[in-house]
Amino acid sequence: MLYISTRGHADRKHFCDILLEGLAPDGGLYLPEQYPKVNGTMLTRLRKAYHEQGYAELAFQILSLYIDDIPAADLKAICAKTYTAEVFGTGEIVPLRHLEDGLWLEALSNGPTLAFKDMAMQLLGNLFEYELKRRGEQLNILGATSGDTGSAAEYAMRGKEGVRVFMTSPHGRMSAFQQAQMFSLQDENIHNIAIEGVFDDCQDIVKAVSNDHAFKHKYKIGTVNSINWARLLAQVVYYFAGYIQATESNSQKVSFTVPSGNFGNVCAGHVARMMGLPIAKLVVATNENDVLDEFFRTGVYRVRAAADTHETSSPSMDISKASNFERFIFDLLGRNGQRTKALFSAALQTYGRFDLSADPLFADAAKKYGFESGKSTHADRLATIKDTYERHGVTIDTHTADGVKVAREHHSDAKVPMIVLETALPIKFAETIVEALGHAPERPAKFAGIEDLPKRVQVMPADVELVKAYIERHCA
């Protein structure tokens, strides 16, 4: 299996090379040359693997379709080490919970940082450690987080041999719990950088450093954001697990609603669907920062400036530049690298937007690829949290509430289960839960008093050169 850039670069690379690299040399994102196909026989085998041997075996079999430069026994051991009941709180790893007629929640937030990002990040940490040890190398990870990626990455990489983490986040724009999870870590290989700006400023810094090839090579810079293909690949697995739990035969279809800001989580669903998983709809749920909803409704992709990026009660989706969206557009345009490059490198940089509304291929987003979308507001999520608690006794977080609200609007076929991907546990956004319900959500004992712990964080302006200088100082 070889990987190509969405922007048409001539290189073809193996999995372990792109694992450590992040962006392609031309600024594009990596995708496999073709998606491996899962037929009925293989889906039956995957169903049996999950039911009889568990999530780790399912992960191994799916990852094996994409990774041929790690020996099978080693990859199997990495999966077994990653997906355990000790780490994720249950042997099912991602249990499906029935909410109401035809609507299900897939629990993805049982990992160390109580967010779905743990599902991929725990695997990524073990893959990094394995490959760096095999090569005798070190890696400096530069990341950007709007809330959950950062803590998931830091908890996955803390103490890992050969790895340092430099995590940027928007200063003052995460919940108190999210900040405490990250900034309270005292591990020497973990560095938190709070950027005076919004998440998109952080993301722009990561991309700028990744595109400085001399700096990237000298300091061995890698990424853990969902621009890293390995992380997105790990997320593909739980779409299969959700489907298997919701169905009894391969003739059945399911739909997924995915709260999404950066398009990474739902892009994994797109990959699963391209592989042949019987997915009817992939519904993108946004908050007030509705750049993705606008595209799927109109064909116009229009990024917002920092001043126009709303600060909301589902802050992990306060994003106006969806990094992974380029992967889907590449597929939508028939894998035309030059055209993709023209849109994401030229049109966005010059005009801050592109318009596919008149292109016949735009209709394929819904018709061929199953995408629909919807939007949720602060008032919507308060009402959804309250309703879900009062009718079902279930407390959901703010992002999951966005998903549930939009899922109810798009669940049109009673025969097709609608699965909402849970984003985080509600304790991460306690202030809004109190606003909705009048009481605080349950807090796991291990996080008692976390907001009062000493903080280790560096605040700096949104300046690429300052971040590079910080990395240089700590890699000396």
Side-chain angles (χ1 to χ4, degrees):
M1 174 67 74
L2 294 174
Y3 292 84
I4 59 175
S5 169
T6 53
R7 299 188 185 180
H9 196 276
D11 282 0
R12 300 290 187 271
K13 297 192 175 184
H14 288 281
F15 174 82
C16 286
D17 293 323
I18 68 167
L19 167 69
L20 301 177
E21 186 174 339
L23 286 175
D26 57 0
L29 280 67
Y30 284 113
L31 277 175
E33 281 189 306
Q34 64 277 322
Y35 297 109
K37 297 300 181 184
V38 173
N39 59 22
T41 301
M42 184 167 188
L43 189 54
T44 297
R45 190 166 79 240
L46 293 174
R47 190 184 289 276
K48 184 178 181 182
Y50 178 74
H51 285 311
E52 295 184 3
Q53 296 172 270
Y55 191 92
E57 177 64 23
L58 177 68
F60 166 66
Q61 293 201 22
I62 292 172
L63 295 177
S64 295
L65 301 174
Y66 290 91
I67 303 172
D68 55 14
D69 52 348
I70 295 177
D74 291 355
L75 184 59
K76 192 180 184 78
I78 289 169
C79 291
K81 176 182 178 182
T82 301
Y83 296 112
T84 67
E86 290 73 28
V87 173
F88 289 97
T90 169
E92 291 177 285
I93 309 298
V94 292
L96 211 59
R97 295 180 293 171
H98 185 249
L99 193 62
E100 58 196 46
D101 289 346
L103 192 63
W104 301 76
L105 290 177
E106 186 169 1
L108 302 179
S109 304
N110 296 316
T113 69
L114 317 181
F116 81 96
K117 305 290 177 73
D118 290 322
M119 294 301 306
M121 211 65 78
Q122 287 291 311
L123 178 71
L124 202 58
N126 289 327
L127 283 170
F128 277 153
E129 188 173 50
Y130 170 86
E131 186 59 21
L132 290 170
K133 185 176 181 181
R134 189 162 70 160
R135 297 182 181 209
E137 296 180 0
Q138 292 198 332
L139 185 69
N140 292 307
I141 292 167
L142 177 62
T145 186
S146 56
D148 294 327
T149 292
S151 55
E154 292 177 357
Y155 277 70
M157 306 298 166
R158 60 189 306 198
K160 283 279 190 287
E161 188 177 339
V163 180
R164 290 189 194 92
V165 177
F166 298 88
M167 187 60 61
T168 64
S169 61
H171 182 48
R173 280 187 172 245
M174 299 187 296
S175 74
F177 189 94
Q178 287 176 312
Q179 292 179 64
Q181 276 188 308
M182 292 173 57
F183 302 162
S184 64
L185 293 182
Q186 302 297 318
D187 304 72
E188 287 298 316
N189 71 323
I190 303 297
H191 301 273
N192 282 297
I193 305 171
I195 298 295
E196 294 171 327
V198 297
F199 170 76
D200 295 306
D201 296 314
C202 302
Q203 190 161 253
D204 287 344
I205 288 170
V206 171
K207 287 188 173 182
V209 174
S210 293
N211 283 320
D212 183 341
H213 301 299
F215 185 90
K216 180 180 177 181
H217 178 75
K218 181 178 180 179
Y219 291 100
K220 295 181 169 36
I221 303 293
T223 64
V224 291
N225 279 52
S226 48
I227 58 175
N228 187 309
W229 167 254
R231 195 182 127 189
L232 194 144
L233 176 58
Q235 294 174 289
V236 171
V237 179
Y238 54 67
Y239 281 89
F240 279 82
Y243 172 82
I244 289 167
Q245 291 178 81
T247 62
E248 294 179 353
S249 76
N250 300 341
S251 63
Q252 296 173 268
K253 288 190 173 187
V254 303
S255 293
F256 288 91
T257 296
V258 188
S260 190
N262 217 17
F263 205 75
N265 201 6
V266 75
C267 191
H270 166 66
V271 172
R273 195 175 188 275
M274 294 296 288
M275 292 171 67
L277 191 66
I279 296 174
K281 295 179 184 178
L282 286 167
V283 184
V284 179
T286 71
N287 64 12
E288 291 89 338
N289 297 293
D290 59 351
V291 60
L292 292 171
D293 179 44
E294 182 177 58
F295 173 81
F296 286 111
R297 285 187 295 102
T298 68
V300 176
Y301 180 68
R302 179 176 59 91
V303 301
R304 280 43 157 191
D308 298 318
T309 302
H310 300 286
E311 188 172 353
T312 78
S313 51
S314 49
S316 298
M317 301 196 300
D318 291 352
I319 297 169
S320 73
K321 297 176 185 175
S323 279
N324 273 282
F325 194 52
E326 184 170 332
R327 285 187 164 112
F328 169 65
I329 293 296
F330 178 66
D331 283 341
L332 182 67
L333 298 180
R335 304 204 127 200
N336 185 325
Q338 292 308 308
R339 195 169 174 208
T340 304
K341 182 177 182 179
L343 293 179
F344 283 89
S345 182
L348 280 188
Q349 288 182 15
T350 305
Y351 305 109
R353 57 182 282 153
F354 60 75
D355 186 350
L356 295 180
S357 60
D359 192 314
L361 290 173
F362 173 62
D364 287 345
K367 185 172 62 177
K368 182 178 177 181
Y369 296 103
F371 277 101
E372 296 182 6
S373 68
K375 173 182 174 180
S376 176
T377 67
H378 180 69
D380 292 328
R381 66 187 67 98
L382 289 179
T384 303
I385 291 167
K386 189 172 189 291
D387 174 74
T388 303
Y389 180 77
E390 290 179 347
R391 289 202 295 126
H392 307 299
V394 175
T395 306
I396 56 177
D397 89 288
T398 54
H399 308 74
T400 306
D402 291 335
V404 170
K405 183 263 185 184
V406 174
R408 285 169 172 161
E409 296 169 347
H410 289 262
H411 185 218
S412 55
D413 188 343
K415 296 180 181 178
V416 179
M418 175 67 81
I419 300 173
V420 178
L421 296 190
E422 177 190 79
T423 303
L425 293 193
I427 186 58
K428 301 195 80 166
F429 309 97
E431 186 177 320
T432 307
I433 303 302
V434 171
E435 185 180 355
L437 301 181
H439 64 261
E442 182 181 354
R443 177 184 290 252
K446 67 178 179 178
F447 289 112
I450 190 173
E451 292 91 344
D452 299 323
L453 294 175
K455 307 292 192 296
R456 188 165 169 262
V457 58
Q458 177 71 46
V459 180
M460 66 177 66
D463 186 310
V464 175
E465 295 307 317
L466 287 177
V467 172
K468 286 161 71 173
Y470 183 90
I471 294 171
E472 286 176 326
R473 288 198 306 275
H474 290 87
C475 291

